[in-house]
Amino acid sequence: MYCEKCGASLIDGKCPNCEKGKETPKKRIKNRNMAIFAVILSVLSVGILVGSFFVLSSSKTIMFQSISNWNSLLKKSFTNEDNVLMEKIKSHDQVRLDESLSLTVDPSFDLGFEKASIKLGYNDDQKAKKSSFDLQLLLDENELSLDGFLANNKLYLKIKDILEKYYYLDVEYISFFKDTESLDYEKFIDIVFDSLKENVEEKDFKKSKETIYLGDNTKKTTKISYTVTSKKLYQVLINILKKVSNDKELLLSIAETNDLSESEMKNQLEQSIRVLEAESEKTNESLFDYNVYYYGFNNIVMEEIVADDTAIQYYHYDKTEELKIVDIPSKTNYFTMKTVEEKDSTSISGFIYTYEYQGTIKETDNTLDMKINFDFEEEGELVLEVTGRIKDEKTLYQTQVDIKVSGNIEDMDLGNGILLSMMIQYTFDQNIDTTGIKDATSFEDMTEEEQLQIFDSIENHPFISPILDWFMTYPDDEDMDMEGDYYDDEDHDWDFDDSSI
């Protein structure tokens, strides 16, 4: 059989030519619809992209991005090792803190001493409500040391070569570790930065095109400037205090940290708010400008604080960071510091006015090694070395930092130079032995003979006596006799009455 229209042979009773003609328009229509849809989608995408660019490139958005960067950096400084330590402290009832600070100088300095140190120990048992403490001061071989206890609602004290046995006063027990973890720093930081954002308005921004140096290369950037006035600053502070006052959890933790009740803390905040509100009405002077420099799609490369004729600039681009303190009128750099991240270390270089310095920093999770050479040209050179170590064990957490300065300056060889060592150590689960205080005497029961002996020991103590002599002979008025005869050893005497004690 054949088709009546075109004469073609029918297949299954249908003409292949005529049926094909009917389907073609449908496919064309379908393809055309897809094309139109694709065009519309493309237009929408471009519109959204362009719209987003203008929204995200607004002065306010870029300024918020800069503020958020500072927010994250500040939060980071309160985390990491601090969190590890805080978790250890709050999970133990028995915590001991040892701190030491020592200074060693080369004999060539001729300072009258070669080594001075301070050592402080504090052991606390919150469950037993008692603590112990010890303090040692050393100046070469001369020593002043004391130790004591806080137990039975009494403060017990003994001083080597002065109080040879324990004397006590009635004092209630307190723990210096009680509120270690009470303050939520991250929440407080968020409140501070939220208050900053809430007081920023688009109309207060100024925008301009600026060319700046990023290393040795110039870069065209957009500068956004915001002037901070005393009134705006007062308003930010008021908002911070109001947010803290309305946050019950944070308010309570701050109150506990300051040993106040919640109502007392709230009253103090309200008083401060009233004072700030009154001050904000009195003046509205410009304090400083905060400037942000960026290019492209919100790529911030520099923040700047400008007060009067001085600018503090912080650059960050590629793997480089720079800090500069600049005198604006003369374009003189008072101080510069540049750090560049390398494979295994960070290089550091810069100038202190016209004097150059450079060195390296190597850092891991638990170690820090830094060495910097300072070139003072004809005056000489100095070498600064800093080492830091963190030891984290089950029952111990220790931080040790050593700072050494050596070299030569003005033809003087510093020899071994100056070494400053600092150590902070927390140990856990150490018992407090209070057996030595069972024969203690109350300060109120001290006899006159004991008082005379104590004052005699003080006057002849190798550590305390030179300090007392200095105070007794040093005039406190410019018109007094500078020859030293205003005070005479026979003109003063100890008065052994209750008030002297």
Side-chain angles (χ1 to χ4, degrees):
M1 295 182 65
Y2 301 93
C3 177
E4 294 178 355
K5 293 183 179 180
C6 67
S9 298
L10 299 180
I11 300 175
D12 296 332
K14 296 181 180 180
C15 176
N17 294 336
C18 294
E19 291 296 327
K20 184 177 180 180
K22 293 179 181 178
E23 292 177 356
T24 300
K26 291 183 180 179
K27 287 186 178 181
R28 289 178 179 173
I29 292 172
K30 184 177 180 181
N31 291 337
R32 187 182 63 181
N33 289 343
M34 287 299 295
I36 294 173
F37 179 75
V39 171
I40 293 174
L41 188 59
S42 300
V43 171
L44 286 175
S45 298
V46 172
I48 292 172
L49 185 62
V50 173
S52 298
F53 178 81
F54 280 103
V55 170
L56 295 175
S57 296
S58 71
S59 301
K60 192 171 183 178
T61 301
I62 294 170
M63 188 65 71
F64 283 176
Q65 181 180 326
S66 174
I67 292 174
S68 295
N69 292 341
W70 292 115
N71 186 0
S72 300
L73 187 64
L74 192 57
K75 281 185 178 180
K76 187 177 179 180
S77 68
F78 283 95
T79 57
N80 298 332
E81 65 181 78
D82 287 336
N83 278 353
V84 173
L85 179 57
M86 292 303 104
E87 288 298 321
K88 281 181 174 288
I89 291 176
K90 73 179 183 180
S91 62
H92 291 83
D93 290 323
Q94 296 171 318
V95 182
R96 178 177 175 85
L97 168 65
D98 288 282
E99 297 183 8
S100 66
L101 177 67
S102 66
L103 175 67
T104 305
V105 297
D106 192 271
S108 60
F109 283 92
D110 195 22
L111 297 178
F113 72 94
E114 294 180 19
K115 186 171 183 178
S117 66
I118 301 174
K119 295 181 180 180
L120 171 66
Y122 172 70
N123 196 6
D124 185 41
D125 188 337
Q126 294 189 45
K127 192 172 183 179
K129 291 190 176 181
K130 61 182 179 181
S131 60
S132 65
F133 57 89
D134 52 88
L135 173 68
Q136 181 188 56
L137 306 177
L138 281 174
L139 191 62
D140 287 333
E141 300 301 321
N142 297 326
E143 175 187 0
L144 173 65
S145 61
L146 61 86
D147 65 90
F149 297 89
L150 193 57
N152 309 319
N153 287 325
K154 290 180 174 60
L155 173 65
Y156 299 85
L157 182 65
K158 183 170 71 172
I159 305 175
K160 184 180 179 181
D161 299 327
I162 297 176
L163 297 178
E164 292 298 336
K165 67 175 184 178
Y166 287 103
Y167 290 85
Y168 68 83
L169 293 170
D170 291 329
V171 175
E172 290 186 5
Y173 165 80
I174 58 171
S175 171
F176 290 102
F177 295 125
K178 177 183 177 183
D179 300 311
T180 302
E181 44 113 4
S182 60
L183 185 57
D184 189 339
Y185 290 104
E186 288 200 10
K187 179 183 283 189
F188 184 75
I189 292 170
D190 283 337
I191 284 177
V192 171
F193 283 93
D194 286 345
S195 297
L196 286 172
K197 292 178 180 179
E198 290 171 5
N199 285 275
V200 171
E201 297 183 23
E202 187 76 33
K203 63 181 180 62
D204 294 327
F205 294 106
K206 296 178 182 177
K207 185 180 286 190
S208 61
K209 297 294 183 181
E210 304 286 343
T211 299
I212 64 174
Y213 275 93
L214 298 182
D216 297 328
N217 302 316
T218 59
K219 187 69 179 179
K220 293 182 179 180
T221 65
T222 301
K223 171 186 172 183
I224 298 173
S225 183
Y226 182 84
T227 300
V228 177
T229 66
S230 56
K231 192 177 185 68
K232 292 174 183 175
L233 184 59
Y234 279 130
Q235 192 56 55
V236 170
L237 294 174
I238 290 168
N239 281 12
I240 292 172
L241 296 183
K242 285 183 177 179
K243 288 179 181 292
V244 171
S245 182
N246 293 329
D247 190 313
K248 186 176 180 64
E249 184 179 343
L250 186 58
L251 177 66
L252 185 59
S253 65
I254 295 176
E256 290 176 351
T257 303
N258 290 276
D259 198 23
L260 296 171
S261 67
E262 182 180 353
S263 59
E264 289 174 332
M265 190 71 243
K266 195 174 184 67
N267 287 336
Q268 285 196 9
L269 292 176
E270 290 174 351
Q271 290 176 12
S272 300
I273 290 171
R274 287 195 292 270
V275 170
L276 291 173
E277 287 176 337
E279 290 296 323
S280 68
E281 298 300 325
K282 295 179 181 179
T283 180
N284 191 27
E285 60 178 327
S286 297
L287 301 178
F288 61 88
D289 288 338
Y290 182 71
N291 305 322
V292 177
Y293 296 76
Y294 75 98
Y295 70 89
F297 197 67
N298 301 357
N299 188 8
I300 298 175
V301 290
M302 197 257 278
E303 282 103 350
E304 176 183 52
I305 294 176
V306 179
D308 296 327
D309 293 332
T310 303
I312 301 174
Q313 300 172 337
Y314 172 55
Y315 296 80
H316 42 96
Y317 54 95
D318 299 330
K319 293 184 177 181
T320 302
E321 294 182 66
E322 290 187 74
L323 178 66
K324 296 181 180 181
I325 301 176
V326 184
D327 178 70
I328 298 174
S330 64
K331 296 183 179 179
T332 301
N333 292 324
Y334 294 132
F335 174 82
T336 68
M337 181 175 68
K338 179 180 179 180
T339 63
V340 180
E341 289 186 26
E342 298 176 353
K343 185 176 180 181
D344 299 319
S345 63
T346 300
S347 65
I348 181 170
S349 61
F351 289 86
I352 302 175
Y353 198 55
T354 60
Y355 300 117
E356 185 178 8
Y357 66 91
Q358 56 185 347
T360 58
I361 303 171
K362 293 183 179 180
E363 189 175 9
T364 67
D365 290 340
N366 294 317
T367 64
L368 169 69
D369 291 282
M370 179 174 72
K371 185 175 181 178
I372 303 176
N373 293 77
F374 296 84
D375 184 2
F376 294 100
E377 299 173 355
E378 293 84 2
E379 286 83 359
E381 63 176 3
L382 295 177
V383 179
L384 172 66
E385 297 174 83
V386 180
T387 60
R389 300 289 182 269
I390 295 176
K391 186 184 294 184
D392 184 9
E393 299 175 356
K394 184 176 181 180
T395 59
L396 180 144
Y397 190 94
Q398 181 190 88
T399 301
Q400 174 77 40
V401 178
D402 296 318
I403 303 173
K404 183 180 179 181
V405 179
S406 59
N408 60 83
I409 194 77
E410 294 185 349
D411 298 325
M412 176 184 176
D413 185 357
L414 303 185
N416 291 323
I418 302 172
L419 176 62
L420 181 65
S421 296
M422 297 171 284
M423 188 274 292
I424 300 177
Q425 177 177 287
Y426 291 85
T427 48
F428 307 94
D429 304 327
Q430 291 193 10
N431 293 322
I432 300 174
D433 184 6
T434 59
T435 55
I437 63 176
K438 61 181 181 180
D439 297 324
T441 301
S442 171
F443 277 101
E444 295 180 357
D445 297 332
M446 185 182 294
T447 65
E448 185 173 330
E449 183 181 354
E450 289 176 313
Q451 295 173 17
L452 290 168
Q453 180 62 45
I454 290 169
F455 285 117
D456 182 65
S457 299
I458 291 174
E459 285 192 296
N460 294 287
H461 195 281
F463 192 97
I464 302 177
S465 181
I467 300 174
L468 288 176
D469 289 343
W470 187 85
F471 277 108
M472 291 298 179
T473 59
Y474 189 81
D476 57 0
D477 192 290
E478 293 181 358
D479 297 329
M480 293 180 181
D481 183 7
M482 298 303 291
E483 296 300 319
D485 58 0
Y486 181 83
Y487 293 103
D488 188 86
D489 289 341
E490 297 179 358
D491 291 337
H492 70 273
D493 200 359
W494 292 104
D495 183 9
F496 302 116
D497 58 15
D498 291 340
S499 61
S500 294
I501 298 171

